[in-house]
Amino acid sequence: MTRLTKIRIALTLGALAGIAPVTLIFLWGLIYLVIAIVYMDKLALPVTIIAISVPSLWGCWK
């Protein structure tokens, strides 16, 4: 492998490691939102979680 290939692999793994936690938080917030819609009246927490994670995901994919 060339040096450039090693750098690309390292950067790709770093990007995946950076985007994974935000994706998991978004999915958790989405599941929590569905549960809150069905069983509760308070939607502030799941909407806040999704509102914070969406721009973070957008920034990761940009």
Side-chain angles (χ1 to χ4, degrees):
M1 267 193 289
T2 65
R3 185 170 184 251
L4 183 59
T5 304
K6 289 179 184 177
I7 291 173
R8 286 182 180 174
I9 290 172
L11 289 175
T12 301
L13 291 175
L16 290 174
I19 199 170
V22 178
T23 303
L24 292 176
I25 290 171
F26 174 76
L27 291 174
W28 178 74
L30 198 60
I31 292 168
Y32 187 46
L33 179 65
V34 170
I35 291 170
I37 288 172
V38 174
Y39 295 111
M40 295 191 267
D41 292 332
K42 298 179 181 180
L43 298 176
L45 183 61
V47 170
T48 304
I49 292 169
I50 292 173
I52 292 171
S53 63
V54 166
S56 301
L57 282 173
W58 178 71
C60 290
W61 283 106
K62 186 175 177 184

